[in-house]
Amino acid sequence: MSGNGLPTVLAVGTGEYTTGFVGNSQSPSDKKLGVVGLVMFDLRRRGLIAPEIKMVGTNGDKFAGIRDHFKRNIEHKYRDLSTAFTSYPEAGVRDADAYKAAIDSLAPGDAITIFTPDSTHFDIAMYAIQRKIHVLVTKPATQTLEHHQKLVEAAERQGVLCMVEHHKRFDPAYADARERARATLGDMNYFYSYMSQPKNQLETFKAWAGRDSDISYYLNSHHIDVCLWMTAGRALPLRVTASASQGIATSVGCVAGTEDTITLLVDFAIIDSDGKAQQGKVATAVFTASWSAPQGAGVHSEQHFHYVASNGETRINQARRGYQFTQEDPAQAVTGGSCTDFNPFYMRYTPDAEGYFAGQHGYGYLSLENFVTACTRINRNERPASHYDTVLPTIRDTVLTTAILEAGRRSLDTKSTVNIVLNDGKFSLQ
C-alpha cells in the first residue's frame, strides 16, 4: 500500500477476463482486450491505484505472449496507456501455487482480483484475507455455502473488504430498475431470467467445464444476485429444484455429464421488516443459463429478465440495446457479412477523439473502480470495511447467491429439492 492509501493491485488469473488472451492468441469473444488488465492500466493512468501492477498465473511462459498482446492491442490503440506489469511465476516455471508468492509480495491494504476457475476462489481469497489484503473475487465467490460464510468471518476479523464482482449492479438500467421496483412495485411475485453464451465458448472453458464447475455457477449467478438485490430484506429463498439438458457440450469434447443448460426453480417466502414470513405470501423465480447457444446470434450473451410484483412489473433485455452494426466480408462478396448488437454500456473499447481510452462509464469498468476506491477509503480510515455491506456486493451481502447456486448443484446431483434453512443467523442446506 502506498503512503496515500492507494493499493497496489495484483491480478490473480491471466485468462480471458483479465487479459483477453486465451491459449496462444487473442480471445474470439467480445472481450478481445480483456477487462481487468485494461481497466487497471487506465486506473493507474488516472492515479487511482499505486504505480506497480502485478499479475500471476500458473505458467510463466505465457507472459511473453500476454505482453506482446498488450503492446499490439492496447498500447498501440490508446494514447498514453502503459501496460507495464510485474509477473509471477518467472519464465520456464509452472506453479499452481504461484499466487502465494505474489500475494506475499504485497503489503496489508493492497488488493487482489481473482479471475480463476471457480474451484480455486476460496483458497486464493482466504490466503489473501489472512494477510490483510483486500479481495475482489469474480462470481461465484465460492462453490459452497460453507466456504462463503468462512470468507465472511475472515474478512470481518481482518477488517478488509471482500467484494464479489457482480458488475450487473453497476448497469444503469439494472440499478434504476432495482430502485424503482423497490419504491413502487410492492412484493415480489415472479422472476424469470435467461442468460447464455455461444457454444464456441465451450472451447475456451473446456479445461474446467463440467469438471470443476457448471454453467449455473458461471452465468445464473448474475441474475440470482440481481433478484436477491431487488428483494433484499423483503423475500427469502426457501428451496431450490434444478433441471438440466445435455448433449451439446459433450459433442464438442467436454467431459461426460457436462450440462448444456441449467434451470433453477426457487421458492421464496415474502418477509416483513422483522424477517418473518408473511402468511399466504410466496413467490417463485426461474433462473436459466446456457453455454450452448447458437453462434451467429448477433450478441455474445443473451441476457434478460422479467420481474413481476404485486403492483406492477419490469422487463430488461440487456443484450439488445438498439445498437446494431452490419458489416460485409469482402472475402465473401455475395453471402459474407454479419449483424452484431454491441453493448458499449458494459465496456467501450473504441478510443475517444483524442485517442485515449474512453470506457470509464461502462459498468464492467465501474465495478472495478468502485472496488479500488473503497479499498483506498478503508486504508485512509475514512470508512470501515463493514460500511460497504450496504453499498457494494460484498461477501456478506451475497451469501444467499451462493446458497441458491450450491442448492442447485446438489439438486441436480441428487435429483431432489434442496431446502435453504436459517438458524441463529447462519444459512445451511438440507
Side-chain angles (χ1 to χ4, degrees), residues 49-351:
I49 60 175
E52 186 180 19
I53 292 172
K54 304 185 179 190
M55 292 189 187
V56 59
T58 60
N59 180 4
D61 288 336
K62 186 178 177 183
F63 287 109
I66 291 173
R67 285 189 167 91
D68 178 67
H69 161 66
F70 282 163
K71 281 281 187 184
R72 288 184 293 105
N73 298 307
I74 294 181
E75 285 198 12
H76 291 174
K77 184 183 179 97
Y78 303 112
R79 184 175 174 183
D80 299 337
L81 193 59
S82 167
T83 61
F85 67 94
T86 303
S87 58
Y88 302 81
E90 62 186 19
V93 175
R94 287 178 177 265
D95 183 4
D97 289 331
Y99 71 88
K100 294 180 179 179
I103 291 173
D104 288 344
S105 75
L106 301 175
D110 285 336
I112 69 169
T113 63
I114 303 173
F115 287 82
T116 59
D118 298 349
S119 59
T120 66
H121 293 177
F122 173 74
D123 289 339
I124 298 170
M126 184 61 81
Y127 191 87
I129 289 171
Q130 289 172 339
R131 287 152 182 78
K132 297 186 183 297
I133 304 298
H134 302 295
V135 171
L136 175 71
V137 58
T138 189
K139 47 75 197 165
T142 65
Q143 291 179 300
T144 69
L145 181 57
E146 178 187 6
H147 280 171
H148 193 120
Q149 293 184 132
K150 284 184 177 179
L151 291 182
V152 172
E153 295 165 359
E156 183 176 325
R157 188 164 54 248
Q158 299 295 342
V160 298
L161 175 64
C162 182
M163 173 177 156
V164 187
E165 205 274 321
H166 284 296
H167 53 252
K168 293 281 186 277
R169 293 200 189 187
F170 300 93
D171 180 325
Y174 275 51
D176 192 62
R178 188 256 184 178
E179 296 304 323
R180 290 178 186 274
R182 289 179 67 82
T184 64
L185 293 189
D187 294 328
M188 171 189 174
N189 189 265
Y190 172 76
F191 186 99
Y192 165 74
S193 66
Y194 176 78
M195 193 165 184
S196 71
Q197 290 192 349
K199 59 172 67 81
N200 68 313
Q201 280 293 90
L202 288 166
E203 292 294 329
T204 301
F205 302 141
K206 191 182 295 184
W208 58 266
R211 302 174 191 268
D212 296 328
S213 195
D214 61 43
I215 189 56
S216 184
Y217 277 114
Y218 182 61
L219 287 186
N220 269 332
S221 48
H222 283 298
H223 284 107
I224 291 171
D225 177 70
V226 169
C227 179
L228 293 170
W229 184 45
M230 292 179 74
T231 61
R234 302 179 183 184
L236 200 63
L238 300 175
R239 62 189 67 88
V240 180
T241 307
S243 183
S245 58
Q246 298 179 357
I248 296 176
T250 52
S251 72
V252 297
C254 291
V255 297
T258 302
E259 296 93 357
D260 303 326
T261 303
I262 295 176
T263 296
L264 309 182
L265 173 65
V266 184
D267 296 331
F268 283 80
I270 303 303
I271 59 176
D272 58 25
S273 57
D274 294 324
K276 296 180 180 179
Q278 297 187 44
Q279 190 67 28
K281 287 190 174 183
V282 294
T284 58
V286 181
F287 305 101
T288 298
S290 175
W291 48 15
S292 57
Q295 295 171 211
V299 293
H300 180 70
S301 182
E302 293 284 358
Q303 42 193 296
H304 53 262
F305 75 81
H306 180 199
Y307 176 71
V308 181
S310 55
N311 297 328
E313 64 182 358
T314 181
R315 291 181 173 90
I316 294 182
N317 185 332
Q318 193 190 43
R320 305 189 183 274
R321 301 292 188 116
Y323 173 29
Q324 290 189 334
F325 203 85
T326 303
Q327 183 175 359
E328 292 182 345
D329 182 353
Q332 302 179 49
V334 178
T335 61
S338 62
C339 183
T340 303
D341 287 74
F342 285 111
N343 182 8
F345 303 94
Y346 165 60
M347 277 291 288
R348 175 181 167 177
Y349 287 109
T350 54

Side-chain angles (χ1 to χ4, degrees), residues 1-22:
M1 180 178 67
S2 64
N4 57 5
L6 297 179
T8 294
V9 177
L10 165 69
V12 183
T14 58
E16 179 183 69
Y17 203 84
T18 297
T19 67
F21 193 77
V22 177

Side-chain angles (χ1 to χ4, degrees), residues 395-406:
I395 196 72
R396 176 175 291 280
D397 186 53
T398 56
V399 169
L400 285 172
T401 299
T402 298
I404 291 174
L405 288 168
E406 186 189 359

Side-chain angles (χ1 to χ4, degrees), residues 378-393:
I378 294 167
N379 292 344
R380 293 174 176 172
N381 295 316
E382 295 174 1
R383 292 282 190 278
S386 59
H387 166 78
Y388 292 97
D389 288 333
T390 58
V391 178
L392 298 173

Side-chain angles (χ1 to χ4, degrees), residues 16-37:
E16 179 183 69
Y17 203 84
T18 297
T19 67
F21 193 77
V22 177
N24 294 307
S25 61
Q26 190 177 45
S27 169
S29 79
D30 62 341
K31 303 178 187 68
K32 299 182 189 305
L33 304 185
V35 177
V36 178

